[in-house]
Amino acid sequence: MEGFKAKFRVVALIALVIWIGLAALYDLLRPVSNGCIMTYMYPTYIPISASEGVSSAKYGLYLYHEGWRKIDFKEHIKKLSGVPVLFIPGNGGSYKQVRSLAAESDRAYQGGPLERTFYQEASLTPEEGGADFDSAGFQLPNQYTSKLDWFAVDLEGEHSAMDGGILEEHTEYVVNAIHRILDQYRESYDVRAKEGAATSGNLPKSVILVGHSMGGFVARAAIIHPRLRNAAVSTVLTLSSPHQSPPVALQPSLGHYFAHVNQQWRKGYEVQTSHTGHYVSDPILSHVVVVSVSGGYNDYQVRTKLESLDGIVPPTNGFMISSTGMKNVWLSMEHQAILWCNQLVVQVSHTILSLIDSRTGQPYPDTQKRLTIFTRMLRSGIPQSFNWMMQSHLASQEPKHVLVKDVKDAAGSLVHASTACPRNVHWGDDGFERDIYIQTTTVTVLAMDGRRRWLDIQKLGSNGKSHFIFVTNLAPCSGVRLHLWPEKGLSTSSLPLSSRVLEVTSKMVPIPSGPAPTQIEPGSQTEQPPPSAVFRLGPEDMHGFRFLTISVAPRPTVSGRPPPAASMAVGQFFNPEEGKIELPPLLMLQSIYSKKDMLVKEDHPLVLNLSFTISLGLLPATLSLETAGCGIKNSGLPDEAGDVENSRLCKLRCFPPVALVWDETSGLHIFPNMYSKKIVVDSSPALWTSTRGSDKTTVLLLVDPHCSYKTSIAVSATAAAGRFLLLYSPQIIGFSIAVILFALMRQARAWDLDLPMPSMVTAVETNLRMPLPFFLLAIVPILVSLLLSFLMSQPFPPFANFIIVSVICYLFANGSVIILILVSQLVFYVAAIVHIFIKTRWEVWEGKVNFAFVRWFINLSSSFFSLKVVRVLQGNPSLVTALAAIILVFLVHPALGLFVLLFSHSLCCHSMLCCHARRKELFDYKNKGNDGSRQFTSKSDGRSNQRLPLEENSSNSPDSSKSFGDTQLEIFHHRHGLLILHLVAALMFVPSLAACLQRMGMGQSFPWFLDTALCTGVILHGICLTKPEFNCFLFSFPSIRSTEVRLDFIYVVAGYYSFLCGLALVPDRVFYIMAAIGIISFALRIVHRRNIEKGEVYMVSRKHSHRH
C-alpha cells in the first residue's frame, strides 16, 4: 500500500470503526431505567415424573405452587383441575423464571378481573376478521371460574440461540412435556375417581404455551412437530421471542431450522387440497392463535422486527404488539425484565385467565373469540395506524345495522344505548341555566364544576378546523360525558334514529399519565395534572350534528378527606395541516453537534405533528419542551426571579405535554410528561425488507394551546452508534465476508496477470478506490438487490436511505476487516522476528556452549522424524490437515475442524514470513560486497525444481525477476488472505462451540450434517488452494477445446452472493458459497490431475524469476 491517499483512507476508516464501536459500547452498557415494578412471590416447584419411555436424565418438568406453607407434592398433584399452562424458558434461561407469571396469575384468580372502565376498547381489524365477528355481543368475563396450573420445563440453562441441534432437542422434549401434562390430568382425575373425591369439570384437551426468548420459537416448533397430538396446543403467547430469524444468524443449521419451521407454519395455514385442486380440509393450524409481545427499544437482544409474525401467521390468527403500546403497561423493558415487570405480568395474567370459558372451565375453542380477548386486553384503543389522526376511531369500519334501545339522558334527551354510559353512573341533572356557551375554538376545564359546555360545530369547525381533539384527566362517564346534538331545543322524538342525540363518551381512549402533581397542603395545586385520556372526533363523526356538549361532573366531596387532585380538560377544533412540522435530514444530522431550537407560539394547535424524515430508530433524538410563556405579563421581578415565577405560574396553567410516537415496525409509543426525554423507537429502517414508510417517524405532541414552548431537538451520537450496531450487525457480518472475498479476488487477479501480489490490506484498500472499484463492489450489489425485489414483486425499500445505510455498513465492514488483518499481521511479524532472533542466537551459542541434553533431545527427535510414517506425513501436510480437520468436523464440532485449518494456515504464514525475513537479511549482506548474477534452485509449484536466473537489481514490473524472499512474501499474502476468511468462518461457529462445551458429559450428539457438510467444503477450499499457482485451471470439454476457469471470477460471484446475504440479514448462508468454492476447487484439482496424467492439459502458472 503506497501513497498518502491510500494510507489516509485506511487510517480514516479505522478511526471511524473504532469511534463507532466505542460509542456503541458506551451506550449499550449504560444502565437502563424501565419504570418496571418488581414482582414478589412465594415459589414452590413440584417435580413431575417423566412418562414411560422418555428419559429424564437431561431435562425435567415442574409444576409451580404459590404459597409459603409446606405442601404434600403428591396430594397437590392429585388435585390438579385447572387450565394447564406450560412455560418454556429461553436461551440460558431457567424454569424458575415462571414464578412471576404464576404468582400474579394466582393473585388475579383470587382477586377477580380488573376493574371495568368505560374507555374505548380495541377491536379486531377487517384483516383480522373483525367484519365477520360480532365483538359488541362478546363480553369479557365478570369473574374467573378456573385457575391456571403453571408448568415449566427445565432445559438446564442451555444456550439454544447458539446451536440448531440444541434447539431441536428442546423442541423434542417440549412435545413430550405437553403429552406428559395432559396425561397427568387424566391420572389425577382417575385417582380422585377411585377415592370417591369430586371429579367435576372437564379434562383439558390442550395446553397453553408461554415462551420467553427462544422458548417462544420452541413453542411454535413443537406445534408443527409430527409427534404432537392433534389439537394439543391451541394458544401460544411469546415474550421477546424471535420468529423471523435467529437474533444473530451465524450457524447454518440454526438458520435452516428457523426457515424450515416458518415454512411449515406457512403451509399450516393453507387450505388442504387434493392433487386435482379439490377442497380436502381446513388449514391444519387454523385453530392456533399466536400473540407475540416485544420488549421494545430497550430489548437489545431481540429486535422488534424479528418478533413480528408477518408472513408466518395470518392476521386472523395472531399479531405482534410492543410493550410500549400495551394497555396498562406503556413501558419498554430489557430482555429479562419482561418476565418480572409487574405491569406487564399482571396484564398478561388477566389476559390468559380471560381466555377461559366460564361454562366449560377451559379456553374458548373459537379462534376469533380468543383473538378478540387478546386484542381487548392487550391493545390500546388508539388505532394502530399511521393515519389515525386522519381517520375516525370508530367510523373507519362499515356501520352494522343493529337494534338499538333508546334511553333518556339527564336532560331528558334520547341517546343511543349502545354508546351511552351505564345507568348506575349518575351525577345529577344539569339545567340549561348552568350551561356555558363556548365562543372560541379552544375550551378549557380547570375544575369539576358540574356544568355543561356547548360548542357550535358549524361555527367553530369552519375555516378548515373540522377536527376536534380533547385531552383530560377526568374519567369517562363518572367525570365527563360528551354528546353530539342535531339542533339545540328541537324535540328529538320525531327525528330519525341517526339524527338523535349521540353520546360519544366511549370514544375516549386512555393514555399513560405521568406522576400526579404534589400538593403542599390539602386543596392546593402546584401545577397542572397530566392528561390520562384523549378523545377525537373527525368530520365524518360530526357530520349531521350541530352541537357538541362537554358535561363535567360536580366535584365529589367526602367529609374528613382532602379534595381530590386537580382536574383538567382542554379541547380544540383544529386543522391537522396547521400543526405539521417536518424535520429534514440535514437538521437532524446537524443536531448531533448542536441542538436545534424551534419556538411554538401561543394559540397553536393542540396537536403538533412532527415528522422526522430519518427514523428515530436509527437516530434517537432528545426532544425538550420548555414553557416559554402562557399569556402572563411581566411580573416586575428581576430577570432570574421573574423567569422562575413565570415558570411556576405557567405550570399552574399549562398541562404537561404528551408525545404519541408511531412507528411502522414497533407500533405505538407514548411518552407522558414530555418536558425532556430521549425518544427511541425499535424500528428497522433502510433494510432490504423495509417498506417506504419505515424510514420516517411521526411524533404527535399534545401541548396546551394557551402556552408557548421553546422546543429543542438533539440527536445523541452514542445512541445512534448503539442503534446502528444493533440493527445492522448481521448485515455487517455478511459484508465482511464479501470484503474478504473481494480482496482474495484482487490477489488472484494480480497473480494471473503476473503482477506483484498485494497484501490483504492493499487489496481491501484498492477495492475502496473511486470510482470504478467502489462502484462495482459496493453499489452494483445494492442495485442487484433492487432488481431482485422488482423481479420477485416485493416492495422497494426507501431508495436513498437504503443505499446510504448499506454503503455505511459496507465501509464499516471494510474497516473491521482491515483491523483484523493488521492485528493478525502484527502477530505474525512479531512471531517471525522473535523466531529469527532466537534461532540466530542459538546458532551463535551452539558453537560456543556444549548443550549435551539439548543435543540428546535433538538426536532423539531426529530419529523420530526419520520414521517412514512420519516422513510420509511430513511430505503430505495438506493431507494430514484435511484428515484431522474433517474428522473433528464430523465427530466433535465444526469449529474444531476450522481451528485445525487455521493452525495450518498460521504455520505456513509463519514459515513464509521467517523465510522472507532471513532471505532479506542475507541479500542485504551480500549486496554490500557482490554484484553479478546468481542462480539457485527453488520449488515453484511443489513438484518440480527449476533453475532460474537471478539479477541483483529487482523491480516491481511484471517482466522483472523476483527474489526468492519476495516470492515467499507473496505466498504469505496468499495464505494470510485464506486465514482471514477462515478465521471469520471459525468465529461464526464459536457461539455454537461454547454452547456445546456447556453440555459436555450430558450425552452430546453428533453435529448437524448441514454444518459438517458446509464446513468440509470450507476446509477443502483451504486445502486445495494452499498455493497461488492454483488460481487458474485449464480443462477440456468434449465440445470445447479448452476452457479456462479463473478463481478471481469465482471470488467475485461469491462476494456478490455474500453481499446479498448481508442485505437479507442471513449471514449464515455465506457458508453455502464458501463450501461451493471448496467443492469447485477440489473438483477442478481432480480434473486437472487426471488431465495431466493423460498429457492433455496443464495448470496455468505464473513463471516468476528468482534471484538468490
Side-chain angles (χ1 to χ4, degrees), residues 793-809:
S793 301
Q794 294 180 350
F796 286 98
F799 187 76
N801 289 351
F802 175 61
I803 292 181
I804 293 173
V805 172
S806 298
V807 169
I808 294 175
C809 290

Side-chain angles (χ1 to χ4, degrees), residues 298-317:
N298 282 336
D299 188 350
Y300 295 157
Q301 298 185 34
V302 182
R303 294 165 299 283
T304 299
K305 190 173 183 63
L306 299 181
E307 301 172 71
S308 172
L309 298 172
D310 294 343
I312 301 174
V313 179
T316 55
N317 290 76

Side-chain angles (χ1 to χ4, degrees), residues 56-102:
S56 60
K58 183 186 290 189
Y59 305 132
L61 177 65
Y62 291 86
L63 171 64
Y64 182 90
H65 171 70
E66 172 66 17
W68 57 271
R69 294 179 181 274
K70 187 176 180 179
I71 61 172
D72 185 283
F73 288 176
K74 292 184 179 180
E75 288 295 323
H76 186 78
I77 294 175
K78 187 171 63 176
K79 297 178 182 178
L80 278 178
S81 59
V83 175
V85 184
L86 177 61
F87 173 77
I88 308 171
N91 178 57
S94 168
Y95 67 96
K96 295 183 179 180
Q97 291 175 322
V98 71
R99 56 186 179 267
S100 296
L101 284 165

Side-chain angles (χ1 to χ4, degrees), residues 382 469-471 507-511 532-536 660 702:
I382 299 177
I469 190 132
F470 182 74
V471 294
K507 288 191 175 185
M508 291 176 62
V509 290
I511 57 176
S532 60
V534 61
F535 168 89
R536 177 193 159 276
L660 307 178
L702 305 180

Side-chain angles (χ1 to χ4, degrees), residues 717-1033:
T718 57
R723 293 295 305 173
F724 175 77
L725 288 188
L726 280 178
L727 292 175
Y728 305 110
S729 55
Q731 192 165 312
I732 293 171
I733 294 172
F735 287 179
S736 298
I737 298 292
V739 168
I740 299 171
L741 291 171
F742 290 151
L744 292 177
M745 173 272 297
R746 186 69 62 179
Q747 288 186 337
R749 186 65 176 166
W751 183 273
D752 290 340
L753 297 177
D754 205 14
L755 298 173
M757 179 175 287
S759 66
M760 282 295 289
V761 173
T762 303
V764 173
E765 186 277 328
T766 304
N767 291 335
L768 289 173
R769 292 179 182 176
M770 299 290 288
L772 192 59
F774 186 82
F775 176 80
L776 291 177
L777 301 180
I779 304 300
V780 169
I782 299 175
L783 299 179
V784 170
S785 68
L786 296 175
L787 177 61
L788 292 176
S789 297
F790 173 75
L791 295 177
M792 294 185 293
S793 301
Q794 294 180 350
F796 286 98
F799 187 76
N801 289 351
F802 175 61
I803 292 181
I804 293 173
V805 172
S806 298
V807 169
I808 294 175
C809 290
Y810 179 73
L811 293 176
F812 189 91
N814 277 270
S816 303
V817 170
I818 289 175
I819 292 175
L820 183 62
I821 293 171
L822 292 178
V823 170
S824 61
Q825 195 165 306
L826 177 64
V827 171
F828 281 123
Y829 272 97
V830 171
I833 293 172
V834 172
H835 183 188
I836 294 173
F837 175 81
I838 294 175
K839 189 171 184 179
T840 305
R841 294 298 180 268
W842 170 256
E843 291 174 352
V844 175
W845 294 341
E846 187 180 22
K848 298 179 180 180
V849 184
N850 184 16
F851 294 96
F853 173 76
V854 176
R855 291 181 182 276
W856 172 82
F857 180 76
I858 293 176
N859 293 333
L860 181 63
S861 301
S862 300
S863 61
F864 172 76
F865 287 109
S866 64
L867 297 175
K868 185 175 181 180
V869 176
V870 177
R871 290 202 309 271
V872 172
L873 295 178
Q874 281 184 319
N876 299 275
S878 297
L879 178 62
V880 175
T881 302
L883 289 176
I886 292 175
I887 289 174
L888 289 174
V889 163
F890 274 88
L891 299 182
V892 186
H893 193 274
L896 298 180
L898 294 176
F899 288 155
V900 172
L901 181 63
L902 290 176
F903 183 71
S904 173
H905 288 326
S906 301
L907 287 181
C908 180
C909 289
H910 179 72
S911 175
M912 295 299 103
L913 202 57
C914 289
C915 185
H916 166 72
R918 291 293 299 270
R919 289 286 179 177
K920 186 175 181 181
E921 290 181 2
L922 181 62
F923 293 157
D924 291 343
Y925 173 75
K926 288 186 176 182
N927 286 338
K928 292 179 181 178
N930 299 289
D931 57 351
S933 62
R934 297 179 177 272
Q935 291 184 346
F936 81 106
T937 302
S938 95
K939 294 183 179 180
S940 65
D941 60 358
R943 295 187 301 275
S944 61
N945 295 337
Q946 302 175 0
R947 298 189 61 80
L948 304 172
L950 296 176
E951 298 176 1
E952 72 171 319
N953 296 322
S954 63
S955 170
N956 287 332
S957 66
D959 297 329
S960 65
S961 58
K962 292 292 180 181
S963 69
F964 177 76
D966 291 339
T967 303
Q968 298 298 89
L969 183 60
E970 289 187 339
I971 297 176
F972 165 78
H973 292 326
H974 171 72
R975 291 298 289 269
H976 187 221
L978 294 179
L979 182 142
I980 295 299
L981 177 65
H982 298 146
L983 175 61
V984 176
L987 292 177
M988 292 175 69
F989 268 99
V990 166
S992 174
L993 177 63
C996 291
L997 291 177
Q998 180 195 17
R999 311 174 75 208
M1000 291 183 63
M1002 298 177 61
Q1004 173 69 27
S1005 58
F1006 290 111
W1008 269 45
F1009 177 77
L1010 178 63
D1011 293 338
T1012 57
L1014 294 178
C1015 285
T1016 300
V1018 175
I1019 292 170
L1020 291 177
H1021 175 223
I1023 297 300
C1024 296
L1025 299 178
T1026 53
K1027 296 184 179 180
E1029 292 94 321
F1030 304 143
N1031 283 339
C1032 183
F1033 300 93

Side-chain angles (χ1 to χ4, degrees), residues 44 79 141 245 356 427 474 534 624 737 813 860 899 970 1045 1099:
T44 302
K79 297 178 182 178
S245 64
I356 302 173
W427 26 270
L474 301 174
V534 61
S624 301
I737 298 292
L860 181 63
F899 288 155
E970 289 187 339
V1045 178
M1099 179 182 296

Side-chain angles (χ1 to χ4, degrees), residues 465-531:
K465 297 183 178 181
S466 57
H467 294 253
F468 180 78
I469 190 132
F470 182 74
V471 294
T472 181
N473 72 337
L474 301 174
C477 295
S478 61
V480 64
R481 299 176 72 166
L482 298 98
H483 297 82
L484 288 172
W485 297 70
E487 191 71 43
K488 184 176 183 298
L490 291 181
S491 173
T492 60
S493 58
S494 60
L495 294 176
L497 185 65
S498 59
S499 301
R500 301 179 187 178
V501 177
L502 177 67
E503 180 165 11
V504 290
T505 309
S506 60
K507 288 191 175 185
M508 291 176 62
V509 290
I511 57 176
S513 59
T518 56
Q519 291 178 301
I520 300 176
E521 59 184 24
S524 69
Q525 180 183 346
T526 56
E527 60 186 59
Q528 274 279 35

